[in-house]
Structure formats: C-alpha cells, structure tokens
Amino acid sequence: MTKQIWFCGEVVTMSLLKRCISTLPWIHFINLYSISECHDVAFVDLTDYYQKNKESMMARKFSPAGKVLPGVHIAIIGDEGKPLPVGIYVGGPTLARGYINRPEQQAQRFIPLLEGMPASYGDRLYRTGDWGYMLSDGSLEICGRCDTMVKIRGYSIEVQAVEAALLALPMVHACTVLVSGEEGEDKFLVAYIVKKEKTTKKEIRGELKRRLPFYMIPAYFVFLQSIPIVSTTGKLDKKALPPFDRNHSDDVQAEGRPSTAMEENLAAIWREVLRIQDIDIHESFFDMGGHSLLATELQQRIKEKFGVSMPVRELFTYPTVSLLSQYIEAMQSNGHDNSSRSSPLDKILTCNGDHGCSACRLDIQLRAFWRTFLHRHHFSKGRVLLTGATGFLGAFLLKEMLLNSELLVYCLVRELPNQDLMDRIKETMRKYSILANDSKRATEEQTSMESLFRKRVIAMKGNVALMKLGLSDDDYNYLTTETDFIVHAAANVNLAYPYSALHGPNVLGTENIILFSSTGKIKPIHYISTNGVFPHNMKGCTEDADVSDQWPYLTDGYSQSKWVAEQLVHRAGQRACPSPFTGWVRMRSICTSLTSPRSSPHLSPSALLEHRVASPCNDISSSG
C-alpha cells in the first residue's frame, strides 16, 4: 500500500521537497491547493512530478501546486485588474456563499466577475491573497502571500523571498522571517533559524550578502531547535517563538570578544550605537545593522571618547572593532595610520576560477555564437543588456543606442526607496537634457527620444553585485537566452572610498556579468573601464597598453577596483573565447559635446574647462 503525506495550506519550497524526498524516499508527497472559501483548486503528486522533471525543478524555488481541477477556473490578475502573474483569483461552482455578518470582508474577498472574462467563471471571483504563475504545462505555481510584502526604510521587501534565500543555504534546515518594530520607526527583519550543520550568524549573513540586496538581509538572527507550529493546523505558531531581545545576542564566540582595553571601549560604543549587547570584534559594523546615519553617530562618539577625527570613509577600510581599534591607536600615537594590511588585490591575483562554466558546454555555445556571423548577426537590431543607465555615461550610451540602432535595451536598475525604475532612468536623462523637462519646450531630438524610450527601453530590477545580478530566477533565465550582447558601464565612481567599499559593485559586479555572458548563450561584453588603471602621472600610455603589472602603484580604491575588474574581463577573453567575446573602453575625463549644457558630476570645474578648451568631443581610449 502506498503511503502518502499531503501538503495543504502552505507554499512548498523546492528545498523542503528535496529534504522530504531524500529523508522519506518510500513516501509519496501530494500537494493540494485548497482554500475554505472555494474548496479544492489544484492537485499534484510531487514525488512523481519530481522524478519526471527533476532537472527543470532544480532551477526553481517553489514546487508546483498541480493542474487546476475540472470545473474550477483560475485567473491571475494584477492590482489594476489586468491579467498579470500577481494575485490568484478563483471562479466556478465551488465558491462559498460568503461570510456571515462580515460585509467588509465579503466585499474585499468576493468580487464581481471582471469585464471580458468568460461566463464559465460564474458571476463572482474569490481573491485568494496568494500570488503565483501558470507554468507552461498548465500547472499552477504558488509563490507566496500578497500580504507578505512589507516596506522597510522605503524599500519593498518580499518576506518569503528572504525565507527562500535562507532555505537555499546548505547550513539552514528551516526558518521563518518576521518583521519587528513599529511603522514609521526603526523597522527591521528578524530571522528564526534551525541549523542543519554547525554555523554562525556571521557565516549566514555573509552568504546572504551574495544573494540579496542589503535592505533584505535580516538585522538579527535567532537560532532555534525547531520552528513552533500550531498542532491543529500545522501553521507557524508566532506566539510560541521565543521573545526577541534586541539588546542581547549569544552567538559571539571566544575569538570574537574584546581582548584589549581599546577594543573594550570601542565595543561599548558600538553597543550603544547599534543597540546590541554583544559585539563580535571581527564582524563588520554594516553587517550588524549599521547604516549611514548610525555611521555618523559612531564617528561623533569616537571623536568624543578618543579625540580622533575619523572620516566616515575609514569605517569602510576598518569596518570591525578589531581593525578600527588599531587605526585609533595609530592615530593617537603618531597622527597617521601605520597599521599593516595586505593588499586587497592579492587574493584576486591567484584566483583563476571558471565561474561555473564547463568547457564542453562553452564550446557548444561558442559554435552557436560564431554562426551568428554566418547568418547575419543582429547586433544592431537585437537585444542589449545595459548596466549603469542611471549614471552620466550610461545615459548617453542609452541615447546613442536609441538614436543610431534598432536595439531593444534592457536596463539593469537598482531599486531605491519610493522610486519607480523607469522614472530613475528618465530622471537621469532629463538631468542631462537628453529628455525634455517640459514637453512644450522639447527639441525635435528630445521628442523623438521620448517616443523611442517608451518603445525600446525596459527597466529590470537588479544589482550587478549580487548573484544572478539580483534578478528573479525567471528574469535571469529569460535574459540569459534573450540578450545578444552586454554593455557594462555600471560602477561606483568614488575616489575617496577604499577598495573594500568598491569591491562589490566594481569587482563582484564584473564577475557576475562575465558569468551571465556565458550562461544560456554566448553574449559579447563591452566593458567600460577607466584610464585610472594607469598609475598617477604615468607617461607614454597607449590605447592597448598592458597594465597587468601596474597594480602595486595604484593608490586609490577606485583605480584598484577597476584594474581588478579589467583583468577579470581580460582573463575571461583569454580563457573562454576569441576577442569578440570581451573588449573594454578606457575612459578619461568625460563630458558632452559643446551643444549640451551638462557635464559629468565627477568632473571638477577646472578639469571641465581644460577639457572643453582642448577638445569638443569625448576623450575615449579604447582597447580590445
């Protein structure tokens, strides 16, 4: 007799299903999507589905809920009543009559049939509050609750996406993430975790930093023996979770505790600023919940306590109690930093990874890539991924693509609080007079640009510094096959920040672009570098100069990070593909033509004057 376990009422993640099948291989796992107000909706034998579709399921976060049962109708509708992969609505004869003596909830949950929908759906739809997709085989996929979207410091956060990222970590067995803090105050996420293996909060936080934007990383982690559930329903029992004490943490190991008087005093300041009882002296200020406002407060406290004026940039260089205490002692002793630290470039020089790309698969992709030249490749009419479109250079690159090609441009854009992605790009283009601020005073070119922008620009929410470019699995998989080539112009241009503060966007971002370029199909990279990869005052620099031996002479973090990124691009071209695969452009001072009133915000007035007198056009050194 077949033994079965039925899932009902909760999202079944792939990590949960894999654990179940490996632990109980003789059990058949059934997923039933059933709701009291509309009875059974969909059904699937997950064990059978997993065995038949194992390879495709490995790339997904959620298990399917199965095909919709006969007579039941599903509508997936956006906030404005448009058919979109957002909210799930159910129609058909199985709907309940409604709620007794609850008219407000009745009106919210049971809505009239929308215009244009088939009469077979009935005269009403039930709003489930779940969101998901219809898969290509007709199966329904439930991804979570619509009401698990929260806002923290202006950022929209899908709580279940944070849980899914945690469950994907090898050291996490189970977890739940809750929002703590009052609305309008210092709201934050707390992750309750059941460990699969020995680990620390620092290790978990470090893994999440590679997968999620900073605003989605829980501020606090609590380790549990098990996740409490309500015995009658099997759902999470929030009331049974141990009370979270923001002022106490018990995960600091012996090597993480202060060992000197300076470390003790500095840790005491961190406790007050971060409002955490125990401080690990080797953990970053920013990883423990610190942000720009708290960094300013820390800066002031250090000045009052130790008499040392510390620029905020030094907090990026010395982000831990251990490193910062050495810096303060050196400043008190002789007025300058004499701490000994190895170059951040040392590790990258010995790194020769393949970015997860097998030689066999890459060879097949390369053959397909070269055939695009035989069959009239469509690089002037295809699809391009542009990074850095909200920057000065990126805005003008986008302008040229729209005016001088038929390209469809996907712009990778970081999310900012309370700002629409397309509005961010438009704001930049208006700032530099590419688009008109007032449509009534628009030039002919600006009017044309407005039309081209609407037709051929698509903004994608992401972040180059994160795994899969910070894109959703669906968006990443789509772009890896649909994109024809890449223009990588995104970078954090800051001559004051150290290498460590720029490593994420400038180095990891380039690594992720290289991996993206060889995933799905080969996509040539056009990388925007800088003449900052040459040491200051170096003479006789040529366009195709080899700078591989110049890194010891680079003194600022921006030049160091761009040098490392350029070397990564160079190595990718050598390792994987001929020259069309990778190429770079080394930018010097950047300004617009004399017909434009705008210039780069990173160019000083004196440099701008010197450049305008010398040449009316952009100064670009190119290589590759």
Side-chain angles (χ1 to χ4, degrees), residues 37-296:
E37 290 85 347
C38 55
H39 206 55
D40 299 340
V41 177
F43 162 92
V44 65
D45 183 332
L46 285 178
T47 302
D48 183 61
Y49 194 95
Y50 180 81
Q51 292 171 350
K52 293 179 179 178
N53 304 276
K54 186 174 181 179
E55 185 174 342
S56 63
M57 289 184 75
M58 288 299 97
R60 293 174 24 199
K61 291 182 179 178
F62 305 102
S63 301
K67 294 188 177 180
V68 177
L69 296 173
V72 179
H73 300 280
I74 289 290
I76 301 180
I77 302 170
D79 293 334
E80 299 177 357
K82 298 177 180 178
L84 291 170
V86 186
I88 295 176
Y89 293 70
V90 180
T94 61
L95 266 61
R97 294 182 180 180
Y99 303 101
I100 298 176
N101 299 325
R102 301 176 71 179
E104 291 185 3
Q105 188 171 2
Q106 175 81 10
Q108 182 184 29
R109 289 291 189 176
F110 291 90
I111 67 170
L113 187 69
L114 300 178
E115 184 180 352
M117 297 186 71
S120 59
Y121 278 60
D123 57 359
R124 297 180 305 155
L125 296 174
Y126 173 69
R127 188 198 307 264
T128 66
D130 298 322
W131 69 276
Y133 303 87
M134 289 297 292
L135 303 180
S136 59
D137 64 357
S139 296
L140 181 64
E141 182 179 279
I142 309 297
C143 301
R145 295 286 300 170
C146 297
D147 54 10
T148 58
M149 182 74 72
V150 297
K151 276 208 169 186
I152 297 180
R153 287 198 288 271
Y155 291 99
S156 297
I157 298 174
E158 172 54 58
V159 175
Q160 286 187 318
V162 181
E163 292 177 344
L166 279 166
L167 289 171
L169 302 182
M171 68 281 286
V172 175
H173 177 70
C175 73
T176 186
V177 176
L178 301 182
V179 181
S180 189
E182 296 299 323
E183 198 70 47
E185 297 183 7
D186 193 11
K187 217 172 183 184
F188 54 91
L189 296 178
V190 182
Y192 293 87
I193 295 171
V194 177
K195 295 184 288 186
K196 183 186 294 185
E197 57 190 50
K198 187 177 180 180
T199 188
T200 65
K201 298 173 185 177
K202 182 166 35 176
E203 289 176 349
I204 293 175
R205 187 181 287 113
E207 286 296 319
L208 286 182
K209 285 173 64 179
R210 299 173 58 237
R211 292 166 165 80
L212 297 174
F214 70 93
Y215 54 85
M216 291 181 69
I217 297 175
Y220 304 98
F221 297 87
V222 179
F223 288 144
L224 303 173
Q225 291 298 317
S226 62
I227 299 293
I229 61 173
V230 179
S231 58
T232 55
T233 64
K235 294 182 180 291
L236 171 68
D237 187 356
K238 292 184 180 180
K239 294 180 180 179
L241 288 170
F244 171 69
D245 184 359
R246 186 173 181 173
N247 296 315
H248 182 72
S249 172
D250 59 358
D251 196 48
V252 180
Q253 299 173 337
E255 63 269 19
R257 301 206 177 267
S259 59
T260 68
M262 175 60 74
E263 288 177 352
E264 286 282 5
N265 291 329
L266 192 56
I269 295 176
W270 283 39
R271 291 188 193 102
E272 296 174 4
V273 173
L274 294 171
R275 288 185 283 175
I276 301 175
Q277 183 60 34
D278 291 328
I279 298 292
D280 187 324
I281 66 169
H282 301 301
E283 191 158 6
S284 168
F285 174 81
F286 301 99
D287 287 346
M288 287 190 284
H291 48 75
S292 57
L293 295 178
L294 293 181
T296 303

Side-chain angles (χ1 to χ4, degrees), residues 274-546:
L274 294 171
R275 288 185 283 175
I276 301 175
Q277 183 60 34
D278 291 328
I279 298 292
D280 187 324
I281 66 169
H282 301 301
E283 191 158 6
S284 168
F285 174 81
F286 301 99
D287 287 346
M288 287 190 284
H291 48 75
S292 57
L293 295 178
L294 293 181
T296 303
E297 182 181 347
L298 178 65
Q299 179 188 31
Q300 184 61 33
R301 295 283 189 93
I302 289 174
K303 183 176 182 180
E304 293 172 357
K305 178 71 175 179
F306 305 110
V308 173
S309 296
M310 180 194 73
V312 172
R313 72 176 296 274
E314 298 296 355
L315 195 55
F316 289 102
T317 307
Y318 311 95
T320 68
V321 168
S322 176
L323 292 174
L324 193 56
S325 63
Q326 297 174 38
Y327 169 80
I328 293 173
E329 287 174 339
M331 295 298 291
Q332 288 178 328
S333 174
N334 52 32
H336 62 84
D337 171 29
N338 60 359
S339 59
S340 176
R341 290 174 290 115
S342 61
S343 167
L345 306 179
D346 291 343
K347 290 183 180 180
I348 203 72
L349 292 175
T350 58
C351 176
N352 193 28
D354 64 359
H355 301 286
C357 185
S358 71
C360 179
R361 187 175 74 248
L362 194 58
D363 287 341
I364 295 173
Q365 293 170 337
L366 275 171
R367 293 172 189 170
F369 167 72
W370 284 116
R371 292 193 74 80
T372 61
F373 290 89
L374 298 176
H375 299 293
R376 297 184 180 181
H377 66 84
H378 49 282
F379 295 153
S380 63
K381 297 182 180 180
R383 298 172 175 87
V384 57
L385 176 68
L386 172 65
T387 69
T390 56
F392 177 78
L393 176 60
F396 282 92
L397 288 172
L398 179 57
K399 172 188 174 182
E400 293 302 314
M401 290 178 189
L402 294 179
L403 288 179
N404 299 310
S405 76
E406 297 178 31
L407 290 167
L408 178 65
V409 187
Y410 294 102
C411 296
L412 191 71
V413 183
R414 282 187 300 113
E415 182 182 25
L416 290 183
N418 305 314
Q419 278 193 286
D420 178 76
L421 300 180
M422 291 291 278
D423 287 343
R424 281 199 65 200
I425 304 174
K426 285 183 177 181
E427 182 181 328
T428 301
M429 299 184 81
R430 291 189 182 108
K431 180 179 179 180
Y432 300 123
S433 301
I434 300 172
L435 295 178
N437 287 300
D438 184 353
S439 59
K440 295 180 180 179
R441 299 182 179 181
T443 65
E444 183 177 345
E445 182 178 89
Q446 289 174 331
T447 301
S448 174
M449 280 295 302
E450 191 76 47
S451 175
L452 293 171
F453 185 92
R454 286 195 304 270
K455 295 176 181 176
R456 290 168 40 203
V457 175
I458 300 173
M460 309 292 289
K461 184 174 77 172
N463 185 333
V464 292
L466 300 178
M467 292 176 62
K468 294 188 175 181
L469 306 179
L471 294 161
S472 68
D473 287 345
D474 291 333
D475 285 343
Y476 187 81
N477 293 334
Y478 169 76
L479 288 178
T480 55
T481 56
E482 288 299 308
T483 304
D484 295 309
F485 65 97
I486 306 158
V487 177
H488 182 34
N492 189 338
V493 183
N494 192 308
L495 299 182
Y497 278 8
Y499 175 88
S500 57
L502 302 172
H503 176 263
N506 295 358
V507 178
L508 286 181
T510 302
E511 282 189 286
N512 292 332
I513 285 291
I514 293 170
L515 177 58
F516 173 81
S517 71
S518 58
T519 302
K521 69 177 182 182
I522 292 295
K523 297 169 282 293
I525 303 172
H526 301 275
Y527 171 68
I528 307 300
S529 187
T530 171
N531 74 341
V533 297
F534 296 106
H536 294 305
N537 301 319
M538 182 179 180
K539 297 181 180 179
C541 303
T542 60
E543 291 183 350
D544 57 351
D546 179 9

